[in-house]
Amino acid sequence: MTTAAGDERPIGAPEQLARQLEEVAANVGSVLYGKRDVVRLTLACLAAEGHLLIEDLPGVGKTTLAKALAQTLGLHCRRVQFTADLLPSDLIGAMVLDRERMTPVFHPGPVFTNILLADELNRASPKAQSALLEAMEEGQVSVDGVTRPLPKPFMVIATQNPYDSAGTYPLPFSQRDRFLLRTSIGYPGRQAEDRLLATAGARPRPESLRVIGGATMLKNMAAAVDNVFVAPEVRAYVLDLVQATRNHPSLLFGASPRAGLALLRTASGFAVTAGRDYLRPDDVKAVAEVVLGHRLAVTSSAELGGSTSSSLIGELLANTPVPVRATVAAG
């Protein structure tokens, strides 16, 4: 296959991958109506090898999204309903006695999968919530002093009810920070909801969707994100945004260096879904709120004045100069 001079990447590779991702999005969209933007963000998160936090009300399609994505990409998906009495061992597994050999053996929990749907994560106790930390950060779990790797790829799609819902335990900052991005699905538009009502009972189930992706496609997605070119001007723009959060009087604390890395990687994943192997400032702007929103804390006085992390990020985006030119490597 023809390649550009000095570049081992096949010509047309980003465009071909984008077409495949568009086909994946269309397949998922056949069961989750009118939410193409949410599906694209989810694919960008998966390409960036991150975890997704969905904050929304029950019944808007969170489970459908996770199951449809797993089925389309040929991945194994398991769902855990988080409740107040859930124990860490219910999630990561435990040592049990083998009665035939009279020796303890490890019985893996539902975390040993490719896509873990952690439903209503903030209904579980902090102890159960923290059981996910090592899995999300290191791709492994430790039981009885033995470390066991999780399957690859591994992605957590966690859902949580709004914080003011009864019986919820707000996620600690350290756990929110492990999610690459946070978004919501929201109510469908009228046309999409009318289609949903019209196809009630006839709409395909996520488990019946055809498989489009696979191991090769997933590897190509991750490699494409790693190879996205970031011009110095775009990198400076990311730095400007991150540092602006640290100097804003309405924020208790700003974005951490990990948040800056998350912003850059998610934007790179977003660029890959558009068929590009270079980053634009618009990619950064498109994902800034979903990446930074759950990593910032608004002061009480600003909150009383009606400010939210989303509104403050919008203010920062409006006030931070956007680079007019970003040099793209030739070839």
Side-chain angles (χ1 to χ4, degrees), residues 165-190:
S165 298
T168 59
Y169 299 83
L171 299 182
F173 176 78
S174 60
Q175 184 144 6
R176 296 202 309 271
D177 193 45
R178 295 308 194 278
F179 288 98
L180 189 65
L181 56 91
R182 181 194 66 180
T183 189
S184 62
I185 295 179
Y187 295 122
R190 183 179 178 87

Side-chain angles (χ1 to χ4, degrees), residues 224-300:
V225 173
D226 290 337
N227 293 326
V228 167
F229 174 76
V230 183
E233 296 89 343
V234 179
R235 191 168 62 248
Y237 179 57
V238 172
L239 285 172
D240 289 343
L241 283 174
V242 169
Q243 292 180 356
T245 66
R246 299 169 186 169
N247 300 322
H248 200 289
S250 295
L251 292 172
L252 286 173
F253 52 82
S256 66
R258 182 178 7 220
L261 290 169
L263 179 57
L264 191 62
R265 188 157 183 84
T266 306
S268 297
F270 198 76
V272 166
T273 64
R276 284 182 281 102
D277 57 0
Y278 61 93
L279 201 59
R280 291 176 177 172
D282 284 347
D283 299 319
V284 178
K285 295 174 71 174
V287 302
E289 196 278 325
V290 295
V291 173
L292 299 179
H294 60 294
R295 292 180 163 94
L296 304 176
V298 182
T299 62
S300 56

Side-chain angles (χ1 to χ4, degrees), residues 24-187:
V24 169
N27 204 41
V28 175
S30 67
V31 294
L32 184 67
Y33 299 155
K35 295 298 177 181
R36 185 61 66 92
D37 55 341
V38 175
V39 176
R40 184 181 178 186
L41 278 175
T42 304
L43 288 173
C45 185
L46 180 61
E49 300 176 297
H51 306 288
L52 174 66
L53 178 62
I54 303 175
E55 181 179 318
D56 222 324
L57 296 170
V60 294
K62 301 183 292 290
T63 301
T64 298
L65 171 64
K67 289 185 174 180
L69 182 65
Q71 175 65 24
T72 301
L73 294 174
L75 300 176
H76 186 242
C77 178
R78 300 186 73 175
R79 175 182 177 273
V80 177
Q81 178 64 52
F82 278 68
T83 56
D85 59 350
L86 186 77
L87 299 175
S89 58
D90 296 330
L91 184 64
I92 64 177
M95 301 298 295
V96 296
L97 181 65
D98 185 334
R99 295 184 179 276
E100 292 183 0
R101 293 179 291 180
M102 296 304 294
T103 56
V105 296
F106 178 67
H107 181 74
V111 75
F112 285 84
T113 187
N114 297 125
I115 294 183
L116 176 68
L117 176 59
D119 211 1
E120 296 186 305
L121 178 61
N122 60 339
R123 287 204 179 278
S125 66
K127 185 176 182 179
Q129 292 175 8
S130 65
L132 272 179
L133 283 175
E134 182 184 10
M136 294 172 65
E137 184 68 16
E138 306 293 339
Q140 64 185 30
V141 297
S142 299
V143 179
D144 281 1
V146 178
T147 298
R148 293 176 170 84
L150 297 176
K152 291 184 179 181
F154 174 70
M155 179 185 191
V156 174
I157 298 181
T159 73
Q160 67 172 5
N161 295 326
Y163 285 140
D164 57 353
S165 298
T168 59
Y169 299 83
L171 299 182
F173 176 78
S174 60
Q175 184 144 6
R176 296 202 309 271
D177 193 45
R178 295 308 194 278
F179 288 98
L180 189 65
L181 56 91
R182 181 194 66 180
T183 189
S184 62
I185 295 179
Y187 295 122

